[in-house]
Amino acid sequence: MPKRSDPRRIGIFGGTFDPVHIGHLRSALEVAEFMALDELRLVPSARPPHRGAPQVSAQDRLAMVQLAVADLSPLCVDDRELGRDKPSYSIDTLESLRAELAVDDQLFLVLGWDAFCGLPSWHRWEALLDHCHILVLQRPDADSEPSEALRNLIAARSISDPLTLNGPGGQISFVWQAPLAVSATQIRGLLASGKSVRYLVPDAVLTYIHAHGLYRAVN
Ligand code: ATP
């Protein structure tokens, strides 16, 4: 019988990435290295259910994420949400990804603390842990409060050391991270007012933004 390989450790990090920036990339890289992930997939969302439409097309956002993570293993891009003609629900993404993995592969849904506090409003949120572990990025300046339902879930499912999350899914753990003070909103604002975003995005992304005339003010 062929030797069974070790379970793979795969993380997913969703976002609008409008555009991808160094805050996303440092955060993703740090969590991937800390957790010794085999892959951390950046998953651009098509029509995020919780916010307004992205400013640029899915194709441009995908192209920028691809440029940002080229040769940056273990970071990579997963474009499955962009093929869907409906809101990007994480539960659908997890179910379709799970169907491609071995049963004992470990899946980690990486969420910022603020996103985690909003979890009870997500489509079929109680089923998420059937497919993955949830890794929450805690930040020193966070000000969201978890609901009672979420506090109960934390009490029932969380473990203190993220490196001991075991099995394919079902548990929650927390990783402390000081985020870089940069956001896509800030970058769109700078570009719309004709200012430079150099060093806030990778150079390849900057070149793409300029070559395609993205985020310019509409006159
Ligand atoms: P926007 O300003 O348009 O709301 P954003 O910069 O927050 O965008 P998103 O695409 O909405 O980016 O975020 C995707 C994920 O990246 C989220 O989990 C978010 O918490 C995280 N994230 C965003 N900015 C940072 C940052 N500076 N450092 C670490 N994580 C970040």
Side-chain angles (χ1 to χ4, degrees), residues 101-143:
L101 302 178
V103 282
D104 54 356
D105 283 342
Q106 295 188 286
L107 200 47
F108 302 89
L109 176 64
V110 179
L111 294 177
W113 171 253
D114 294 352
F116 179 67
C117 286
L119 210 65
S121 68
W122 289 22
H123 183 57
R124 294 176 55 212
W125 73 283
E126 279 153 318
L128 293 169
L129 285 171
D130 295 344
H131 304 288
C132 63
H133 295 299
I134 296 180
L135 204 53
V136 184
L137 304 180
Q138 281 273 36
R139 45 200 292 174
D141 57 345
D143 54 6

Side-chain angles (χ1 to χ4, degrees), residues 66-73 75:
Q66 282 169 334
L67 288 168
V69 302
D71 304 320
L72 194 57
S73 173
L75 302 196

Side-chain angles (χ1 to χ4, degrees), residues 13-28 43 45 51 61 110-115 137 139 177-188:
F13 185 83
T16 320
F17 303 122
D18 186 24
V20 65
H21 55 67
I22 57 165
H24 301 132
L25 295 165
R26 276 306 312 170
S27 179
V43 186
S45 51
R51 51 184 288 162
R61 291 182 295 116
V110 179
L111 294 177
W113 171 253
D114 294 352
L137 304 180
R139 45 200 292 174
Q177 225 180 39
L180 297 175
V182 48
S183 70
T185 304
Q186 171 201 8
I187 289 170
R188 293 193 299 273

